[in-house]
Amino acid sequence: DAGITQSPRHKVTETGTPVTLRCHQTENHRYMYWYRQDPGHGLRLIHYSYGVKDTDKGEVSDGYSVSRSKTEDFLLTLESATSSQTSVYFCAISGDRGMDGDTEAFFGQGTRLTVV
Amino acid sequence: GEDVEQSLFLSVREGDSSVINCTYTDSSSTYLYWYKQEPGAGLQLLTYIFSNMDMKQDQRLTVLLNKKDKHLSLRIADTQTGDSAIYFCAEREPNTDKLIFGTGTRLQVFP
């Protein structure tokens, strides 16, 4: 299995509080992604990173920020959590595109976040 | 838009073939993927296809790619109860390397 871990695995937080989720990899992969998974919506991209300090928005980035100060860590922050951000969050990593390999994305086990 | 579309549900009898369909958005996407998610778990790659291919076969799995219609399908032969899961197709945008996923198809296999 690829070396990717998410922490925490479960969190319950109150509306209005800040929350940070951490994704850590040991594969030295260039790309890192944060997704949220909700019924009927599949996986939606929140933010992604294509290198240290290089990040870009996905389709559902409002209310979220990210940081990548080193290759192995990609942090997702909810500045002021809302109930609509209750979801399961997945981190993924991926290497550079090659001719026929090293393109798959490896996923973490997910973080279940509940905002009450 | 960044919509990758799939039907939400598919129910098949054990032993039959399953066909899961997907339409994607970017005709220049270089890689297209199929992932499987079992309950309470993350996603695992099943197979992928490079855009210069029309078909790829891997044991019970067959992937067909129609670039003209931007249509991707996954056929599972001899479907087993262990194949029950959610299946996601995904495309890798060539200019940004974003991975865009579909809504997922829940496959239910009954005896």
Side-chain angles (χ1 to χ4, degrees):
Chain A
D1 288 344
I4 176 171
T5 55
Q6 293 183 229
S7 58
R9 293 291 313 279
H10 302 271
K11 186 168 181 69
V12 180
T13 192
E14 293 186 349
T15 299
T17 60
V19 178
T20 295
L21 308 183
R22 180 182 184 234
C23 179
H24 178 77
Q25 63 150 325
T26 57
E27 304 296 318
N28 201 35
H29 279 342
R30 177 181 177 189
Y31 298 98
M32 300 186 76
Y33 308 84
W34 276 108
Y35 293 89
R36 59 178 289 173
Q37 183 176 19
D38 304 287
H41 292 279
L43 266 71
R44 292 182 290 175
L45 183 64
I46 304 171
H47 282 280
Y48 76 111
S49 170
Y50 47 96
V52 174
K53 294 191 180 1
D54 292 323
T55 64
D56 203 354
K57 296 178 180 180
E59 62 178 307
V60 290
S61 58
D62 288 349
Y64 302 94
S65 63
V66 289
S67 67
R68 190 165 178 203
S69 59
K70 47 187 177 177
T71 299
E72 55 265 38
D73 289 324
F74 193 33
L75 304 180
L76 176 71
T77 298
L78 291 65
E79 301 291 346
S80 178
T82 67
S83 58
S84 65
Q85 293 175 311
T86 293
S87 187
V88 179
Y89 291 85
F90 285 99
C91 175
I93 62 174
S94 175
D96 276 312
R97 282 173 283 133
M99 283 304 297
D100 191 30
D102 294 325
T103 65
E104 78 169 279
F106 298 93
F107 279 79
Q109 290 300 300
T111 296
R112 185 173 295 276
L113 176 67
T114 303
V115 184
V116 298
Chain B
E2 297 179 335
D3 290 335
V4 178
E5 297 185 350
Q6 301 177 237
S7 54
L8 291 181
F9 297 102
L10 177 65
S11 183
V12 299
R13 187 180 300 276
E14 188 175 19
D16 288 350
S17 293
S18 309
V19 179
I20 303 171
N21 294 302
C22 170
T23 55
Y24 59 98
T25 57
D26 192 335
S27 58
S28 61
S29 290
T30 52
Y31 288 93
L32 296 136
Y33 307 84
W34 283 104
Y35 280 83
K36 177 183 180 182
Q37 184 184 35
E38 296 184 352
L43 278 70
Q44 288 188 306
L45 181 71
L46 282 178
T47 187
Y48 66 90
I49 188 166
F50 192 53
S51 59
N52 67 353
M53 300 167 66
D54 297 323
M55 185 182 83
K56 181 177 180 181
Q57 189 153 0
D58 183 3
Q59 299 182 336
R60 293 191 297 123
L61 306 178
T62 302
V63 179
L64 295 178
L65 175 60
N66 181 331
K67 287 187 66 177
K68 174 177 170 291
D69 295 336
K70 291 184 281 187
H71 183 265
L72 184 72
S73 68
L74 174 69
R75 178 177 181 269
I76 306 173
D78 188 24
T79 312
Q80 303 297 307
T81 54
D83 295 324
S84 294
I86 301 175
Y87 291 81
F88 291 93
C89 66
E91 61 176 338
R92 188 161 185 158
E93 293 187 347
N95 296 324
T96 66
D97 280 299
K98 288 182 186 179
L99 285 170
I100 306 299
F101 283 80
T103 52
T105 299
R106 183 179 295 275
L107 174 65
Q108 182 179 25
V109 183
F110 58 92

